[in-house]
Amino acid sequence: MAQPPRTPHARRPVRDIPEEVHRRRWVILAVLMLSLLIVVLDNSILNVAVKTIASPPPIGIGATQSQLEWAINAYALVFAGLLFTAGLLGDRLGRRRTLLFGTVVFGIASALAALADSAVELVVQRAVMGLGAAFVLPATLAILMNVFEREEQPRAIGMWVTAVGVAIAVGPVTGGLLLEHFWWGSIFLVNVPVVIVSLIAVLALVPESRDPAPGRLDPGGAALSIVGLVLLVSGIIRGGELSDATHWSVLLPVVAGLLVLVGFVAHERRTAHPAIDMAYFRKPAFSAAVGGIALVFFALMGVTFVSVFYLQTVRGFSALQAGLLLLPLAAPQLLFAARSRLVVRRFGARTVCTAGLLLVAACMAAFAAFDAATPVWAIELVLFAQGTGMAHVMPPVTVAVMQSLPREKAGSASAINNTFRQIGGALGVAVLGSLLSAAYRRGIEQHLGPVPPGVRDAAGESVEGTLAAAQRLGPAGEALVGPAHTAFLNAMHVTALCSATVAALGAVVMAAFLPGRGPEQGDRFPTGEDDRRESLPR
């Protein structure tokens, strides 16, 4: 009897990733998401706690609105300024090693921030936390790109973006629960046990990877970027405090910051080993992608900063209630971010990202209609829609940036991605916070007559300052409460419309420069890795 022909065994697919690493890639991704969680979690917790920290001792530390903005921006600016160098160090020394270093620094600074007894000390510790985070975030994305094959990277990046949504969702609720039962410093102390678990998991599971031919470091470029960003944002915040964009103390740092950043670009174009290769920005699709990242986080951080004061001060919700009310902003990240690649595959990145940013713009504009009696369900619906828009922008633009550079330069690509994300968030808080402060001061100044001259400036800086002054005045201060709420709402409306305009402009950029849907491959971004592979012998 004739034997049936033997079916040849299927060949094992040829992979760039070692088989042992490939088998545990999803477990490694879970560890990376935990590392990412602690970095993003801290920002979302702080946004809920700003009202408590602004309260006088012993409840808080009496931080002013500008100090609260610096507590957020000190972290973001140090983070953004050091990302270039941190990404290059990861490519050179090993991404696992830099991830461990950053996690340790972040954990120690978190413990010290919990014990801060002044706003200045809190700002300093937040800056050190930014130093640690600068080594954590680029390492997570760089490791991801080196444990997943190219065809699985969009799905993995979508899950990485989902981790941001988890942190945004968990942060406000965790912060609210902690503030209900403990002192304000507990929002930082909670990072310590998560850091310990993350360190153990990274040591046990995450493989080491590095660039086999790294270039030299660029300390000059890193220094220029830090100085430029700090000067620029400090000028913006000062303008909000004074309600005067023409004052010398505003114009001087803004102009100086812009000049330093121009010098940074010139330096990067001349140096033989730049922290960031400016040639990538000549590609319209790449520039549109990194710009989209910045704009999405501009809207996210700005609206979160404003909405916390709206929910807690004007609407009277507790910190925990405010955290729960912000959940709809993060829930779509969990629902849609990991699957957004399927929508991009069908409609193309241009259509998906443009529609996502237009939805974000519409939601920001809706904030201009909120008042003290707006139904809670309407607020939740707007927040959910805004989160949905962001969930369909962040994954495709992150994939575009990460796949634009060869895999061995994954640290540099991650640094670019996260730098623009942090710059967008920092500018969102600074610009929208300054607009809020300036508009609020204009609306409340005429009502501050009963307030003693020595504290009138502080009372007019923010709604919290006015309400604190009203409380010190006793029964005579009750007349300030209504005007304070009205002035804040008017200021919030101005801020919301400005943010909506910026998001709409970003949608125009996406529509103009992102690639459309190809006839066979669907959406396709030009990538450095493709160029490199095409040059190899077949």
Side-chain angles (χ1 to χ4, degrees):
M1 184 174 179
Q3 296 292 329
R6 180 176 297 178
T7 303
H9 293 290
R11 288 187 175 183
R12 186 185 299 272
V14 178
R15 298 191 179 101
D16 294 333
I17 310 298
E19 184 64 28
E20 181 183 357
V21 173
H22 179 78
R23 284 199 304 267
R24 66 174 192 267
R25 64 196 184 282
W26 297 109
V27 178
I28 294 172
L29 177 60
V31 175
L32 298 176
M33 291 169 67
L34 178 63
S35 300
L36 176 67
L37 180 70
I38 61 173
V39 174
V40 181
L41 177 76
D42 186 74
N43 263 341
S44 55
I45 282 183
L46 182 59
N47 285 327
V48 173
V50 290
K51 182 177 182 294
T52 303
I53 296 173
S55 301
I59 297 176
I61 53 178
T64 65
Q65 180 165 324
S66 61
Q67 288 172 331
L68 291 173
E69 291 174 10
W70 271 111
I72 296 172
N73 284 327
Y75 176 91
L77 291 177
V78 172
F79 184 11
L82 293 178
L83 273 172
F84 297 138
T85 301
L88 291 175
L89 280 173
D91 288 342
R92 171 186 287 270
L93 302 177
R95 290 125 189 173
R96 177 174 177 264
R97 185 175 301 174
T98 55
L99 175 59
L100 290 169
F101 169 77
T103 303
V104 170
V105 172
F106 187 88
I108 294 173
S110 295
L112 294 176
L115 303 176
D117 57 6
S118 70
V120 173
E121 186 177 351
L122 176 61
V123 170
V124 171
Q125 296 303 334
R126 288 281 296 166
V128 178
M129 292 171 70
L131 169 65
F135 285 86
V136 171
L137 240 65
T140 60
L141 258 183
I143 292 170
L144 180 155
M145 298 298 288
N146 281 271
V147 299
F148 283 92
E149 297 292 346
R150 187 175 183 81
E151 62 272 11
E152 286 188 322
Q153 288 171 1
R155 182 184 178 191
I157 289 174
M159 296 180 69
W160 183 90
V161 172
T162 299
V164 177
V166 172
I168 295 172
V170 171
V173 177
T174 304
L177 286 170
L178 291 170
L179 293 172
E180 288 278 325
H181 299 92
F182 304 100
W183 95 114
W184 67 267
S186 61
I187 65 170
F188 298 112
L189 199 61
V190 72
N191 293 335
V192 176
V194 184
V195 163
I196 294 173
V197 173
S198 176
L199 287 172
I200 295 173
V202 170
L203 286 168
L205 297 168
V206 175
E208 185 61 278
S209 64
R210 57 173 56 88
D211 185 353
R216 292 200 301 268
L217 297 179
D218 182 23
L224 286 171
S225 65
I226 294 171
V227 173
L229 288 170
V230 169
L231 287 172
L232 177 62
V233 178
S234 64
I236 295 172
I237 293 175
R238 182 61 175 163
E241 293 174 352
L242 299 177
S243 290
D244 182 6
T246 63
H247 194 273
W248 68 268
S249 63
V250 177
L251 290 177
L252 186 60
V254 167
V255 173
L258 291 174
L259 289 175
V260 172
L261 290 175
V262 170
F264 165 74
V265 173
H267 170 80
E268 294 301 294
R269 295 180 65 179
R270 288 196 312 267
T271 184
H273 299 279
I276 176 173
D277 187 354
M278 292 296 169
Y280 285 103
F281 290 93
R282 297 173 188 166
K283 301 178 180 180
F286 179 81
S287 296
V290 295
I293 291 172
L295 290 170
V296 168
F297 273 83
F298 182 100
L300 174 63
M301 295 300 293
V303 72
T304 304
F305 185 79
V306 172
S307 62
V308 166
F309 283 98
Y310 168 68
L311 293 172
Q312 294 190 48
T313 302
V314 176
R315 302 303 298 267
F317 294 110
S318 67
L320 175 58
Q321 290 170 330
L324 292 171
L325 289 172
L326 289 175
L327 282 177
L329 182 63
Q333 307 291 324
L334 303 175
L335 297 175
F336 304 128
R339 300 181 61 83
S340 63
R341 74 190 190 282
L342 303 178
V343 185
V344 171
R345 187 180 302 166
R346 181 171 182 180
F347 298 104
R350 178 192 300 162
T351 300
V352 173
C353 293
T354 300
L357 266 177
L358 285 175
L359 182 56
V360 170
C363 293
M364 290 306 305
F367 266 76
F370 289 177
D371 56 29
T374 301
V376 172
W377 65 264
I379 300 171
E380 301 298 271
L381 182 62
V382 169
L383 291 173
F384 184 86
Q386 182 175 347
T388 300
M390 291 188 294
H392 287 86
V393 175
M394 286 305 300
V397 296
T398 302
V399 170
V401 174
M402 292 305 299
Q403 291 190 343
S404 291
L405 274 69
R407 176 176 284 158
E408 60 267 21
K409 302 296 183 183
S412 300
S414 181
I416 295 171
N417 174 78
N418 288 298
T419 295
F420 277 85
R421 186 172 71 87
Q422 287 300 311
I423 290 174
L427 290 178
V429 172
V431 173
L432 298 182
S434 297
L435 280 175
L436 184 73
S437 178
Y440 178 79
R441 185 183 292 273
R442 285 195 299 269
I444 198 64
E445 275 182 335
Q446 58 184 321
H447 301 282
L448 296 178
V451 179
V455 296
R456 193 170 295 168
D457 285 344
E461 184 177 327
S462 67
V463 63
E464 289 299 316
T466 303
L467 295 179
Q471 188 175 12
R472 288 193 294 268
L473 290 174
E478 293 180 3
L480 283 176
V481 175
H485 288 173
T486 300
F488 176 83
L489 287 171
N490 291 335
M492 184 181 76
H493 296 163
V494 173
T495 302
L497 291 175
C498 174
S499 181
T501 302
V502 173
L505 178 62
V508 173
V509 173
M510 293 284 188
F513 297 111
L514 283 187
R517 185 174 183 272
E520 296 180 358
Q521 296 175 320
D523 187 71
R524 177 72 176 229
F525 286 93
T527 62
E529 187 165 335
D530 283 344
D531 296 340
R532 179 176 60 85
R533 287 181 175 179
E534 288 174 1
S535 66
L536 295 177
R538 298 180 182 272

